[in-house]
Amino acid sequence: MKKIILDCDPGHDDMIAIMLAEASEEIELLGITTVAGNQAGEKTFTNTLKILTLMGEKDIPVARGFDKPIVRDLTVAPEIHGVSGLDGARLPEPDMPPSAISDMHAVDFIISTLLKENTSVSSGPAPGDEKIYLVPTGPLTNIAVALIKAPEIKKRIERIVLMGGAVYDSNVTPAAEFNIFVDPEAAEIVFKSGIPVTMVGLDVSNKSVFTFEDINHITAMRGRVSGIVGPLLHFFAHANYEIFRINGAPLHDPLTVAYLIDGTILTTKNLHVDIETNGEFTRGRTVADIYGVTGKKPNADVALKVDVDKFKKLVFDAIKKLDLRGL
Ligand code: BDR
Ligand code: CA
């Protein structure tokens, strides 16, 4: 079992990432931290609680993080995710026990979870003491600040598997992907941290499209979870069609979790990636050295190919499983 902390900004595709982690036998979800991104921090936090309530999950701790990027003003994405951040269906109101809502800031939750999972931090991990995966699917603000506040957590992180960036693609500007664009300074800290990074970007996620037919199939399952997820994905797909002419819902974020469940879903290449923080037109570009022309040491495993069928099966199976769960 892989232990993960999911740091997210739900967000339709973040929701599916949470569901995939929740339903998987391969993943132990140690907690969810939230960040402002697709919508304001208060909304992404509340949406997370609603998603957990829908799934009948009451034990996974949730900690709220930053309401804005490290230095920039927040950019949100209502045109893609709606004013609530999860438009398209009515989710249940949050019904979580107070014990599941951490009184810590997301940054402190990440630090304390990483350190408490291991008793021998100063001398490195003891045998059998596995390290933890960080899975960020929103702007990297919480993760970057945690690394600055407590650099000793680095040795407790197995890998950061993040959704963000692209080698060849873009969405929020002609040069950049949304998560990296929103907080490029945070992204720069993460990519320069020396921690193994897997970059799951638009090159693969824009190919991982749930068609309108796939979405109708989910709605037709008519379960407690599928009956709400279907219409939510329909909203998201419609927005993606209107803006990008993508024929369905590109499920960006859950690819990260899917890859941790089944490492054959993505094919990666070890590359050097710089983050553009100053460009006039290129803020947030992940500048990937595909031909090795800079001579700089690779710092990221960049996903370039995806097995879409395997990915879709994982998502369908997870939703089915959550539908069958007795509350
Ligand atoms: C990313 O931006 C957000 O809108 C999605 O949730 C995903 O994390 C895709 O660019
Ligand atoms: Ca997201």
Side-chain angles (χ1 to χ4, degrees):
M1 252 202 170
K2 292 181 173 128
K3 294 182 175 186
I4 76 166
I5 299 173
L6 195 54
D7 183 72
C8 58
D9 62 337
H12 298 75
D13 52 334
D14 302 81
M15 169 187 72
I16 303 293
I18 294 172
M19 292 182 166
L20 212 46
E22 169 82 5
S24 172
E25 309 273 313
E26 320 292 324
I27 301 284
E28 187 185 346
L29 188 50
L30 299 178
I32 301 178
T33 49
T34 64
V35 66
N38 285 325
Q39 263 301 349
E42 192 186 328
K43 293 183 182 179
T44 59
F45 175 68
T46 307
N47 287 343
T48 302
L49 301 182
K50 288 181 175 179
I51 293 161
L52 291 171
T53 303
L54 175 67
M55 298 189 304
E57 172 59 62
K58 293 194 186 287
D59 293 330
I60 290 177
V62 183
R64 180 173 163 180
F66 281 106
D67 287 339
K68 72 172 283 301
I70 297 177
V71 290
R72 318 250 175 183
D73 289 337
L74 177 64
T75 306
V76 292
E79 66 287 359
I80 298 285
H81 297 277
V83 285
S84 71
L86 260 185
D87 277 15
R90 209 189 162 92
L91 284 131
E93 285 307 307
D95 180 20
M96 300 286 289
S99 58
I101 298 170
S102 174
D103 51 17
M104 276 185 265
H105 187 279
V107 165
D108 297 310
F109 178 88
I110 291 169
I111 294 169
S112 81
T113 305
L114 285 168
L115 298 183
K116 96 174 155 231
E117 283 287 309
N118 182 293
T119 46
S120 53
V121 174
S122 54
S123 54
D129 238 337
E130 338 90 278
K131 297 196 226 171
I132 293 167
Y133 291 85
L134 296 184
V135 184
T137 62
L140 290 159
T141 323
N142 291 334
I143 307 291
V145 176
L147 290 173
I148 289 172
K149 188 169 181 190
E152 67 272 23
I153 62 174
K154 286 186 190 176
K155 54 168 114 55
R156 296 289 308 124
I157 301 170
E158 178 71 33
R159 178 170 281 272
I160 299 176
V161 180
L162 63 92
M163 192 284 138
V167 178
Y168 302 104
D169 209 345
S170 60
N171 57 9
V172 67
T173 70
E177 180 280 331
F178 181 79
N179 290 338
I180 307 295
F181 174 85
V182 172
D183 199 341
E185 286 74 18
E188 185 178 40
I189 290 166
V190 169
F191 277 80
K192 284 188 170 164
S193 67
I195 300 164
V197 167
T198 301
M199 177 179 124
V200 181
L202 297 174
D203 307 298
V204 284
S205 72
N206 266 341
K207 297 197 176 92
S208 304
V209 175
F210 273 58
T211 62
F212 285 95
E213 202 184 338
D214 293 329
I215 294 167
N216 290 342
H217 175 66
I218 293 174
T219 309
M221 287 155 71
R222 290 186 185 281
R224 195 172 37 81
V225 173
S226 54
I228 289 182
V229 167
L232 286 171
L233 289 185
H234 195 276
F235 177 95
F236 183 59
H238 186 256
N240 273 280
Y241 181 74
E242 287 296 314
I243 297 173
F244 303 114
R245 288 288 179 256
I246 294 175
N247 262 314
L251 291 191
H252 312 283
D253 294 337
L255 271 179
T256 54
V257 179
Y259 179 58
L260 287 173
I261 296 172
D262 179 350
T264 67
I265 283 183
L266 297 175
T267 308
T268 62
K269 196 168 179 191
N270 196 224
L271 301 175
H272 183 84
V273 178
D274 278 316
I275 307 297
E276 179 58 83
T277 54
N278 293 314
E280 187 184 353
F281 304 111
T282 52
R283 160 183 163 186
R285 178 89 201 157
T286 42
V287 182
D289 185 8
I290 36 170
Y291 298 114
V293 291
T294 64
K296 291 182 184 168
K297 203 170 149 235
N299 59 349
D301 292 306
V302 178
L304 293 174
K305 264 174 80 179
V306 54
D307 186 330
V308 180
D309 292 339
K310 268 192 200 164
F311 171 60
K312 283 191 181 181
K313 182 166 166 21
L314 271 186
V315 173
F316 283 129
D317 287 352
I319 294 171
K320 251 181 245 161
K321 188 166 171 187
L322 294 172
D323 267 350
L324 292 174
R325 183 183 264 187
L327 289 186

